[in-house]
Amino acid sequence: MSTKSIIYCSEGSPEGFNPQTVTSGVTTDATSNQLYNRLVAYSGDEHEISPSLAKSWHITKDGKKVTFYLRKDVEFHHTSYFTPSRKLNAEDVIFSFNRILNVEHEYHEVSGGLYPFFQSIEFNSLVTNIEKINEFTVRFTLSRPDSSFLANLATDFAVILSAEYAQYLSELDSHQQIDLLPIGTGPFKYKEYRAGSFIRYLANENYWQKKINIEQLIFDITPSNTGRLTKLLAKECDIVAYPIAHKKIIERPDLILNEITSFNIGYLGFNTNKPPFNNKLVRKAISYAINKEAIIDTVYFGKAEVANTIIPPTSWAYDAHIPQQEYSIAKAISTLNEAGYPDGFTMNLWAMPIQRPYNPDALTMAKLIANDLKKIGITVNIIHKYEWSTFLQLITEGQHQAVLLGWTADHPDPDNFFTPLLSCPSSKQGRTGTFWCSKEFDKLISQSLQTTDLNKRKKYYKNALKIIEDEVPLIPIAHSKRFQARDKKISGQLLKSFGGINFVEVNKN
């Protein structure tokens, strides 16, 4: 293997190679920042919106028209399966978003017609038109001002695809290939993928932003925690996702353990369409019965904070006045009696089959929760038999009663917790596992987006948090840190507090 190659041991296989169509962290880690760029991006410790494919932009006073001025020197990937004849222009931006917005679009139904992030934020009701002003200028017209619009365009999902590639595939009647054999403008380009085994990327020799330090990037797909650790210790991986045995890694002089506090939430979600979890008293009883401190100690090894709400305390929308969730077996039993279940019941709890930052060990968490609920007469059957993509599909279909899931924010605006997790459009899709819908909640988060006044936004979110506290569609459990282990020869920042990993700054010495 070339010294200019980096091998990253990842925890799972991507669901595809286009992050528009999925929201799973495994896929965004493998694709978003490696293969693509967005119109705008985040930069610096303050997470400011900065230029990317758009060198600048202008917003009208009423907040309803946003014009982007594109760079003129951006090339798409040159690969064995496609050679572009032109550089990025307005047509690519229009294609990338109209595919999502227009249900009649030739590419809308490709890969199932689901664009979870965009559907969760009701992007199609916000953007009424996208027009080409000239070859390098694009204008978005909005139905209303939206203070999170630019933030949403900086997420891992708002990637720009090649309209020319789409046209080429259309002529071949191979539309599906656009999401499986990717063409982007990012620092790396697709070379090879073997499902369940590895992904091979090559450096994009024509990358518009900067020269990439490594020639080849390999995602070695290793779902086993022990397997990833073994490969790291044996020098078969340069970097590993979600490492175990932190003490062992720290003791090795040739290894480094990186950590970053994430904008995330690990939670227990209730399928509120299914009895008994269509009864909020049952949900409340369970929330009293779960010993979160024990979960933090056992599952996160103390490397997380007990979650009181869906948003972490570092968010400006956090409300410290919401009371800490009480752990009380007596209250849990009393509330369960009030709900009409004095003898308890039997339930299924689905546990994720992979590690994520917000839940490094869902099976162990499920066992701890089962132990807690046994004390109030509830018998828990743990479902832990599906691989990741099947698991997500079945959750979306509502096959579960309760599920351990989580969310890692795509940007620092608090709307990125409220809307994707619990808005009616998002919940109805099933990706978050709750199917909960509150018109009052939706009205509050909508009002927050229509103003740039921070104090007003805080007030709306405070009331939204009170509704969640009362309704308990999910139980917030932890805000975790994200860890990564690497060989000392690897330098550069890879982890961020939100969104997918990024290899653009990484080097091998």
Short mmCIF file of all heavy atoms in Angstrom, two decimals, residues 279-327:
data_model
loop_
_atom_site.label_atom_id
_atom_site.label_comp_id
_atom_site.label_asym_id
_atom_site.label_seq_id
_atom_site.Cartn_x
_atom_site.Cartn_y
_atom_site.Cartn_z
N ASN A 279 -50.43 5.95 24.40
CA ASN A 279 -50.86 6.51 25.68
C ASN A 279 -49.67 7.23 26.32
O ASN A 279 -48.68 6.60 26.69
CB ASN A 279 -51.35 5.37 26.59
CG ASN A 279 -51.86 5.86 27.93
OD1 ASN A 279 -51.50 6.94 28.40
ND2 ASN A 279 -52.67 5.04 28.58
N LYS A 280 -49.76 8.57 26.46
CA LYS A 280 -48.59 9.31 26.94
C LYS A 280 -48.26 8.99 28.40
O LYS A 280 -47.10 9.16 28.83
CB LYS A 280 -48.77 10.82 26.73
CG LYS A 280 -49.61 11.55 27.74
CD LYS A 280 -49.55 13.05 27.47
CE LYS A 280 -50.36 13.83 28.48
NZ LYS A 280 -50.37 15.28 28.20
N LEU A 281 -49.23 8.51 29.17
CA LEU A 281 -48.93 8.13 30.56
C LEU A 281 -48.00 6.92 30.61
O LEU A 281 -47.14 6.82 31.49
CB LEU A 281 -50.22 7.84 31.33
CG LEU A 281 -51.07 9.07 31.69
CD1 LEU A 281 -52.39 8.63 32.33
CD2 LEU A 281 -50.31 10.00 32.63
N VAL A 282 -48.17 6.01 29.66
CA VAL A 282 -47.25 4.86 29.57
C VAL A 282 -45.84 5.35 29.25
O VAL A 282 -44.86 4.91 29.85
CB VAL A 282 -47.73 3.85 28.50
CG1 VAL A 282 -46.68 2.76 28.29
CG2 VAL A 282 -49.06 3.24 28.90
N ARG A 283 -45.76 6.29 28.32
CA ARG A 283 -44.45 6.84 27.95
C ARG A 283 -43.80 7.55 29.14
O ARG A 283 -42.61 7.42 29.38
CB ARG A 283 -44.61 7.81 26.76
CG ARG A 283 -45.30 7.17 25.55
CD ARG A 283 -45.15 7.98 24.28
NE ARG A 283 -45.75 9.31 24.30
CZ ARG A 283 -46.93 9.62 23.80
NH1 ARG A 283 -47.72 8.67 23.28
NH2 ARG A 283 -47.37 10.88 23.80
N LYS A 284 -44.63 8.27 29.92
CA LYS A 284 -44.10 8.96 31.09
C LYS A 284 -43.62 7.98 32.15
O LYS A 284 -42.58 8.19 32.79
CB LYS A 284 -45.17 9.89 31.68
CG LYS A 284 -45.31 11.20 30.96
CD LYS A 284 -46.17 12.19 31.73
CE LYS A 284 -46.10 13.57 31.08
NZ LYS A 284 -46.88 14.58 31.78
N ALA A 285 -44.38 6.91 32.35
CA ALA A 285 -44.00 5.90 33.34
C ALA A 285 -42.63 5.32 33.02
O ALA A 285 -41.77 5.18 33.90
CB ALA A 285 -45.05 4.79 33.38
N ILE A 286 -42.41 5.03 31.76
CA ILE A 286 -41.12 4.47 31.35
C ILE A 286 -40.00 5.49 31.55
O ILE A 286 -38.90 5.14 31.98
CB ILE A 286 -41.19 3.97 29.89
CG1 ILE A 286 -42.06 2.71 29.83
CG2 ILE A 286 -39.80 3.70 29.32
CD1 ILE A 286 -42.27 2.14 28.45
N SER A 287 -40.30 6.76 31.30
CA SER A 287 -39.26 7.79 31.48
C SER A 287 -38.83 7.89 32.95
O SER A 287 -37.66 8.14 33.24
CB SER A 287 -39.73 9.14 30.96
OG SER A 287 -40.70 9.72 31.81
N TYR A 288 -39.78 7.69 33.87
CA TYR A 288 -39.42 7.69 35.30
C TYR A 288 -38.55 6.48 35.67
O TYR A 288 -37.75 6.55 36.59
CB TYR A 288 -40.67 7.66 36.17
CG TYR A 288 -41.44 8.95 36.25
CD1 TYR A 288 -42.81 8.99 35.98
CD2 TYR A 288 -40.81 10.14 36.65
CE1 TYR A 288 -43.53 10.17 36.06
CE2 TYR A 288 -41.52 11.33 36.73
CZ TYR A 288 -42.88 11.34 36.43
OH TYR A 288 -43.58 12.52 36.52
N ALA A 289 -38.75 5.38 34.96
CA ALA A 289 -38.12 4.11 35.36
C ALA A 289 -36.68 3.93 34.87
O ALA A 289 -35.96 3.06 35.36
CB ALA A 289 -38.97 2.94 34.84
N ILE A 290 -36.26 4.74 33.90
CA ILE A 290 -34.93 4.53 33.29
C ILE A 290 -33.86 5.27 34.08
O ILE A 290 -33.93 6.49 34.29
CB ILE A 290 -34.93 4.96 31.82
CG1 ILE A 290 -35.83 4.02 31.01
CG2 ILE A 290 -33.52 4.95 31.24
CD1 ILE A 290 -35.99 4.41 29.56
N ASN A 291 -32.85 4.53 34.48
CA ASN A 291 -31.72 5.09 35.23
C ASN A 291 -30.66 5.57 34.24
O ASN A 291 -29.80 4.81 33.80
CB ASN A 291 -31.15 4.01 36.16
CG ASN A 291 -30.06 4.57 37.06
OD1 ASN A 291 -29.50 5.63 36.81
ND2 ASN A 291 -29.75 3.83 38.12
N LYS A 292 -30.75 6.85 33.88
CA LYS A 292 -29.85 7.39 32.86
C LYS A 292 -28.39 7.41 33.33
O LYS A 292 -27.47 7.19 32.54
CB LYS A 292 -30.30 8.80 32.46
CG LYS A 292 -31.65 8.85 31.75
CD LYS A 292 -31.97 10.29 31.33
CE LYS A 292 -33.36 10.43 30.78
NZ LYS A 292 -33.69 11.81 30.41
N GLU A 293 -28.19 7.70 34.61
CA GLU A 293 -26.81 7.76 35.13
C GLU A 293 -26.10 6.42 34.94
O GLU A 293 -24.92 6.38 34.57
CB GLU A 293 -26.82 8.15 36.62
CG GLU A 293 -27.30 9.56 36.90
CD GLU A 293 -26.25 10.62 36.59
OE1 GLU A 293 -25.15 10.26 36.13
OE2 GLU A 293 -26.56 11.82 36.80
N ALA A 294 -26.82 5.33 35.20
CA ALA A 294 -26.23 3.99 35.03
C ALA A 294 -25.88 3.75 33.56
O ALA A 294 -24.85 3.13 33.25
CB ALA A 294 -27.19 2.93 35.54
N ILE A 295 -26.74 4.23 32.67
CA ILE A 295 -26.47 4.08 31.22
C ILE A 295 -25.22 4.87 30.83
O ILE A 295 -24.36 4.38 30.09
CB ILE A 295 -27.69 4.54 30.40
CG1 ILE A 295 -28.84 3.53 30.57
CG2 ILE A 295 -27.32 4.69 28.93
CD1 ILE A 295 -30.14 3.97 29.93
N ILE A 296 -25.10 6.10 31.34
CA ILE A 296 -23.92 6.93 31.03
C ILE A 296 -22.64 6.22 31.47
O ILE A 296 -21.65 6.16 30.75
CB ILE A 296 -24.02 8.32 31.71
CG1 ILE A 296 -25.24 9.10 31.21
CG2 ILE A 296 -22.73 9.11 31.51
CD1 ILE A 296 -25.20 9.53 29.77
N ASP A 297 -22.68 5.65 32.69
CA ASP A 297 -21.49 4.97 33.23
C ASP A 297 -21.14 3.71 32.45
O ASP A 297 -19.97 3.44 32.17
CB ASP A 297 -21.71 4.62 34.71
CG ASP A 297 -21.74 5.85 35.60
OD1 ASP A 297 -21.25 6.91 35.15
OD2 ASP A 297 -22.26 5.76 36.73
N THR A 298 -22.17 2.92 32.11
CA THR A 298 -21.93 1.60 31.53
C THR A 298 -21.73 1.64 30.01
O THR A 298 -20.83 0.99 29.48
CB THR A 298 -23.10 0.65 31.85
OG1 THR A 298 -23.32 0.68 33.26
CG2 THR A 298 -22.80 -0.77 31.41
N VAL A 299 -22.57 2.40 29.32
CA VAL A 299 -22.53 2.40 27.84
C VAL A 299 -21.54 3.44 27.31
O VAL A 299 -20.83 3.18 26.34
CB VAL A 299 -23.95 2.68 27.27
CG1 VAL A 299 -23.91 2.81 25.76
CG2 VAL A 299 -24.90 1.57 27.68
N TYR A 300 -21.48 4.59 27.96
CA TYR A 300 -20.62 5.68 27.48
C TYR A 300 -19.34 5.81 28.29
O TYR A 300 -18.52 6.69 28.01
CB TYR A 300 -21.37 7.01 27.53
CG TYR A 300 -22.61 7.06 26.66
CD1 TYR A 300 -23.84 6.66 27.16
CD2 TYR A 300 -22.55 7.52 25.35
CE1 TYR A 300 -24.99 6.71 26.37
CE2 TYR A 300 -23.69 7.58 24.56
CZ TYR A 300 -24.91 7.17 25.07
OH TYR A 300 -26.03 7.21 24.28
N PHE A 301 -19.17 4.95 29.29
CA PHE A 301 -17.98 4.99 30.17
C PHE A 301 -17.77 6.39 30.75
O PHE A 301 -16.65 6.87 30.88
CB PHE A 301 -16.73 4.51 29.43
CG PHE A 301 -16.87 3.12 28.87
CD1 PHE A 301 -17.12 2.93 27.53
CD2 PHE A 301 -16.77 2.01 29.70
CE1 PHE A 301 -17.27 1.65 27.00
CE2 PHE A 301 -16.91 0.72 29.19
CZ PHE A 301 -17.16 0.54 27.84
N GLY A 302 -18.89 7.05 31.04
CA GLY A 302 -18.82 8.38 31.64
C GLY A 302 -18.51 9.49 30.66
O GLY A 302 -18.43 10.65 31.04
N LYS A 303 -18.35 9.15 29.37
CA LYS A 303 -17.94 10.15 28.36
C LYS A 303 -19.16 10.74 27.66
O LYS A 303 -19.22 10.83 26.43
CB LYS A 303 -17.00 9.50 27.34
CG LYS A 303 -15.75 8.90 27.93
CD LYS A 303 -14.80 9.96 28.45
CE LYS A 303 -13.46 9.35 28.87
NZ LYS A 303 -12.53 10.36 29.39
N ALA A 304 -20.14 11.13 28.42
CA ALA A 304 -21.35 11.75 27.86
C ALA A 304 -22.07 12.48 28.99
O ALA A 304 -21.77 12.27 30.17
CB ALA A 304 -22.26 10.68 27.26
N GLU A 305 -23.00 13.35 28.59
CA GLU A 305 -23.84 14.05 29.57
C GLU A 305 -25.24 13.44 29.55
O GLU A 305 -25.75 13.08 28.49
CB GLU A 305 -23.98 15.53 29.20
CG GLU A 305 -22.74 16.35 29.37
CD GLU A 305 -23.01 17.82 29.02
OE1 GLU A 305 -23.93 18.40 29.62
OE2 GLU A 305 -22.31 18.34 28.16
N VAL A 306 -25.84 13.35 30.73
CA VAL A 306 -27.26 12.96 30.78
C VAL A 306 -28.06 14.01 30.02
O VAL A 306 -27.89 15.21 30.22
CB VAL A 306 -27.76 12.87 32.23
CG1 VAL A 306 -29.27 12.76 32.28
CG2 VAL A 306 -27.13 11.67 32.93
N ALA A 307 -28.91 13.54 29.11
CA ALA A 307 -29.72 14.46 28.30
C ALA A 307 -31.02 14.78 29.02
O ALA A 307 -31.75 13.89 29.44
CB ALA A 307 -30.01 13.84 26.94
N ASN A 308 -31.29 16.06 29.13
CA ASN A 308 -32.53 16.51 29.76
C ASN A 308 -33.57 16.86 28.69
O ASN A 308 -34.77 16.74 28.92
CB ASN A 308 -32.23 17.73 30.64
CG ASN A 308 -33.38 18.06 31.54
OD1 ASN A 308 -34.12 17.17 31.96
ND2 ASN A 308 -33.56 19.34 31.85
N THR A 309 -33.09 17.31 27.53
CA THR A 309 -33.96 17.62 26.40
C THR A 309 -33.29 17.09 25.14
O THR A 309 -32.20 16.53 25.20
CB THR A 309 -34.18 19.14 26.24
OG1 THR A 309 -32.96 19.72 25.73
CG2 THR A 309 -34.53 19.80 27.55
N ILE A 310 -33.93 17.31 23.98
CA ILE A 310 -33.32 16.84 22.74
C ILE A 310 -32.11 17.67 22.32
O ILE A 310 -31.28 17.21 21.55
CB ILE A 310 -34.34 16.80 21.57
CG1 ILE A 310 -34.94 18.18 21.31
CG2 ILE A 310 -35.42 15.76 21.83
CD1 ILE A 310 -35.76 18.26 20.03
N ILE A 311 -32.01 18.91 22.83
CA ILE A 311 -30.86 19.74 22.44
C ILE A 311 -29.83 19.80 23.57
O ILE A 311 -30.18 19.82 24.75
CB ILE A 311 -31.29 21.18 22.04
CG1 ILE A 311 -32.12 21.83 23.13
CG2 ILE A 311 -32.02 21.18 20.72
CD1 ILE A 311 -32.43 23.29 22.88
N PRO A 312 -28.53 19.82 23.21
CA PRO A 312 -27.49 19.83 24.24
C PRO A 312 -27.39 21.18 24.93
O PRO A 312 -27.80 22.22 24.37
CB PRO A 312 -26.21 19.53 23.43
CG PRO A 312 -26.52 19.94 22.04
CD PRO A 312 -27.99 19.75 21.84
N PRO A 313 -26.81 21.22 26.13
CA PRO A 313 -26.69 22.48 26.89
C PRO A 313 -25.85 23.53 26.17
O PRO A 313 -25.96 24.72 26.48
CB PRO A 313 -26.00 22.03 28.19
CG PRO A 313 -26.33 20.58 28.32
CD PRO A 313 -26.39 20.05 26.93
N THR A 314 -25.01 23.12 25.21
CA THR A 314 -24.18 24.09 24.48
C THR A 314 -24.98 24.87 23.45
O THR A 314 -24.49 25.86 22.91
CB THR A 314 -23.02 23.35 23.77
OG1 THR A 314 -23.55 22.21 23.09
CG2 THR A 314 -21.97 22.90 24.77
N SER A 315 -26.20 24.46 23.16
CA SER A 315 -27.04 25.18 22.18
C SER A 315 -27.63 26.43 22.82
O SER A 315 -28.04 26.41 23.98
CB SER A 315 -28.17 24.28 21.69
OG SER A 315 -29.10 25.02 20.93
N TRP A 316 -27.72 27.52 22.03
CA TRP A 316 -28.30 28.75 22.57
C TRP A 316 -29.79 28.61 22.86
O TRP A 316 -30.37 29.42 23.58
CB TRP A 316 -28.04 29.95 21.66
CG TRP A 316 -28.52 29.84 20.24
CD1 TRP A 316 -27.75 29.58 19.14
CD2 TRP A 316 -29.85 30.02 19.75
NE1 TRP A 316 -28.53 29.57 18.00
CE2 TRP A 316 -29.82 29.84 18.34
CE3 TRP A 316 -31.09 30.30 20.36
CZ2 TRP A 316 -30.96 29.94 17.54
CZ3 TRP A 316 -32.22 30.39 19.56
CH2 TRP A 316 -32.15 30.21 18.17
N ALA A 317 -30.42 27.57 22.33
CA ALA A 317 -31.87 27.38 22.58
C ALA A 317 -32.15 26.53 23.81
O ALA A 317 -33.31 26.34 24.18
CB ALA A 317 -32.50 26.72 21.35
N TYR A 318 -31.10 26.04 24.45
CA TYR A 318 -31.29 25.19 25.63
C TYR A 318 -31.95 25.99 26.76
O TYR A 318 -31.61 27.14 27.01
CB TYR A 318 -29.95 24.65 26.11
CG TYR A 318 -30.03 23.71 27.28
CD1 TYR A 318 -30.40 22.38 27.11
CD2 TYR A 318 -29.75 24.15 28.58
CE1 TYR A 318 -30.48 21.51 28.18
CE2 TYR A 318 -29.84 23.28 29.66
CZ TYR A 318 -30.20 21.96 29.45
OH TYR A 318 -30.29 21.11 30.53
N ASP A 319 -32.91 25.36 27.41
CA ASP A 319 -33.61 26.01 28.52
C ASP A 319 -33.27 25.30 29.83
O ASP A 319 -33.75 24.20 30.09
CB ASP A 319 -35.12 25.99 28.28
CG ASP A 319 -35.89 26.68 29.40
OD1 ASP A 319 -35.26 27.41 30.19
OD2 ASP A 319 -37.12 26.48 29.49
N ALA A 320 -32.45 25.95 30.61
CA ALA A 320 -31.99 25.34 31.88
C ALA A 320 -33.11 25.22 32.90
O ALA A 320 -32.97 24.52 33.91
CB ALA A 320 -30.85 26.17 32.46
N HIS A 321 -34.25 25.88 32.66
CA HIS A 321 -35.34 25.85 33.64
C HIS A 321 -36.24 24.62 33.49
O HIS A 321 -37.07 24.36 34.36
CB HIS A 321 -36.19 27.13 33.51
CG HIS A 321 -35.43 28.37 33.85
ND1 HIS A 321 -34.95 29.24 32.89
CD2 HIS A 321 -35.03 28.86 35.05
CE1 HIS A 321 -34.30 30.22 33.50
NE2 HIS A 321 -34.33 30.02 34.80
N ILE A 322 -36.10 23.89 32.40
CA ILE A 322 -36.86 22.65 32.29
C ILE A 322 -36.32 21.68 33.34
O ILE A 322 -35.11 21.42 33.39
CB ILE A 322 -36.76 22.04 30.88
CG1 ILE A 322 -37.59 22.90 29.90
CG2 ILE A 322 -37.24 20.60 30.85
CD1 ILE A 322 -37.64 22.40 28.50
N PRO A 323 -37.18 21.16 34.21
CA PRO A 323 -36.68 20.31 35.30
C PRO A 323 -36.02 19.03 34.80
O PRO A 323 -36.42 18.46 33.79
CB PRO A 323 -37.95 20.00 36.11
CG PRO A 323 -39.08 20.25 35.17
CD PRO A 323 -38.63 21.31 34.23
N GLN A 324 -34.98 18.63 35.52
CA GLN A 324 -34.29 17.38 35.20
C GLN A 324 -35.28 16.22 35.34
O GLN A 324 -36.06 16.18 36.29
CB GLN A 324 -33.12 17.18 36.17
CG GLN A 324 -32.05 16.21 35.69
CD GLN A 324 -31.18 16.81 34.61
OE1 GLN A 324 -30.99 18.01 34.54
NE2 GLN A 324 -30.66 15.97 33.73
N GLN A 325 -35.25 15.31 34.37
CA GLN A 325 -36.15 14.16 34.44
C GLN A 325 -35.87 13.34 35.70
O GLN A 325 -34.73 12.94 35.94
CB GLN A 325 -35.96 13.26 33.19
CG GLN A 325 -36.79 11.98 33.21
CD GLN A 325 -38.28 12.26 33.25
OE1 GLN A 325 -38.82 12.90 32.37
NE2 GLN A 325 -38.95 11.78 34.29
N GLU A 326 -36.91 13.11 36.47
CA GLU A 326 -36.74 12.39 37.74
C GLU A 326 -36.66 10.88 37.52
O GLU A 326 -37.39 10.32 36.71
CB GLU A 326 -37.94 12.71 38.65
CG GLU A 326 -37.77 12.24 40.08
CD GLU A 326 -38.96 12.63 40.94
OE1 GLU A 326 -39.82 13.40 40.47
OE2 GLU A 326 -39.01 12.15 42.09
N TYR A 327 -35.72 10.24 38.22
CA TYR A 327 -35.63 8.79 38.22
C TYR A 327 -36.33 8.29 39.49
O TYR A 327 -35.86 8.53 40.60
CB TYR A 327 -34.17 8.34 38.18
CG TYR A 327 -33.97 6.86 38.46
CD1 TYR A 327 -34.62 5.89 37.69
CD2 TYR A 327 -33.12 6.43 39.48
CE1 TYR A 327 -34.44 4.54 37.94
CE2 TYR A 327 -32.93 5.08 39.73
CZ TYR A 327 -33.58 4.14 38.96
OH TYR A 327 -33.40 2.79 39.20
#
